């Protein structure tokens, strides 16, 4: 993942540092959503609540590349989850963006909730795999605040839908 991010970000960073290019766009935000683990048992989905942080680098006037990290704690079957992803997207209008992303997400499971009792000794409660997804962001007028919505899957086994508020620097 690191090599892929470098291959994407280095040319964009060089372009963004030229005098006529827009500036790099870092952001932080709050996120809320639901994560359905897709294991087919009652209660295999739960709420997730957390933070995101990242940076977008303009590539020309319309396109951008970026990187983003996230951390969420959960209820129901999810104790917490965290990950990193590369983003590629396009600007829509003055403040909107659409994007796709890919990366890695680690999920710590609450096995007592999932199994309905204590798991056998030595059972690992974490699982991680590749993440792919897409989303949209829309700015709030001329303020540095944006709203976002996204949907992701982890190895096409689970589904995460999130919404949030971003503050851009």
């Amino acid at each position: 993942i690191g090599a892929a991010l470098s291959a994407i970000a280095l040319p964009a960073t060089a372009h963004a540092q030229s005098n006529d290019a827009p500036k790099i766009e870092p952001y932080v935000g709050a996120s809320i959503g639901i994560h359905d683990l897709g294991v087919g048992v009652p209660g295999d989905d739960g709420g997730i609540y957390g933070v995101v942080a990242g940076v977008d680098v303009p590539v020309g006037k319309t396109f951008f590349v970026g990187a983003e990290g996230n951390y969420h704690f959960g209820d129901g079957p999810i104790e917490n989850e965290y990950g990193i992803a590369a983003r590629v997207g396009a600007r829509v209008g003055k403040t909107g963006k659409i994007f796709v992303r890919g990366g890695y997400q680690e999920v710590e499971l609450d096995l007592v909730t999932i199994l309905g009792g204590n798991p056998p000794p030595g059972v690992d409660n974490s699982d991680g795999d590749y993440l792919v997804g897409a989303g949209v962001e829309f700015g709030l007028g001329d303020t540095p605040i944006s709203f976002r919505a996204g949907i992701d899957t982890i190895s096409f086994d689970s589904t995460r839908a999130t919404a949030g508020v971003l503050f851009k620097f």
Side-chain angles (χ1 to χ4, degrees):
I1 294 174
L5 284 174
S6 296
I8 293 171
L10 284 178
T13 302
H15 175 74
Q17 291 175 354
S18 70
N19 291 337
D20 62 342
K23 66 179 185 170
I24 294 173
E25 303 167 341
Y27 59 89
V28 297
S31 178
I32 186 170
I34 189 162
H35 190 158
D36 182 349
L37 297 175
V39 295
V41 299
D44 71 344
D45 60 354
I48 53 174
Y49 319 92
V51 295
V52 296
V55 63
D56 288 335
V57 180
V59 180
K61 293 185 183 209
T62 303
F63 297 101
F64 67 91
V65 297
E68 177 177 281
N70 74 81
Y71 175 83
H72 293 87
F73 64 91
D75 59 26
I78 298 170
E79 287 185 7
N80 64 67
E81 60 181 48
Y82 49 92
I84 187 166
R87 295 172 18 125
V88 177
R91 296 182 183 288
V92 178
K94 185 177 176 185
T95 63
K97 291 182 178 180
I98 58 172
F99 61 88
V100 294
R101 61 181 160 206
Y104 181 83
Q105 190 78 5
E106 184 75 18
V107 180
E108 303 287 333
L109 303 169
D110 181 349
L111 294 180
V112 173
T113 299
I114 294 170
L115 300 175
N118 289 328
V123 172
D124 186 10
N125 73 328
S126 65
D127 191 20
D129 214 330
Y130 65 91
L131 171 138
V132 294
V136 295
E137 296 175 11
F138 295 99
L140 182 62
D142 290 331
T143 71
I145 297 172
S146 291
F147 297 101
R148 80 146 32 156
I151 189 153
D152 303 304
T153 182
I154 301 172
S155 68
F156 294 97
D157 292 330
S158 71
T159 306
R160 291 177 30 173
T162 57
V165 177
L166 302 178
F167 180 80
K168 299 182 178 188
F169 299 95

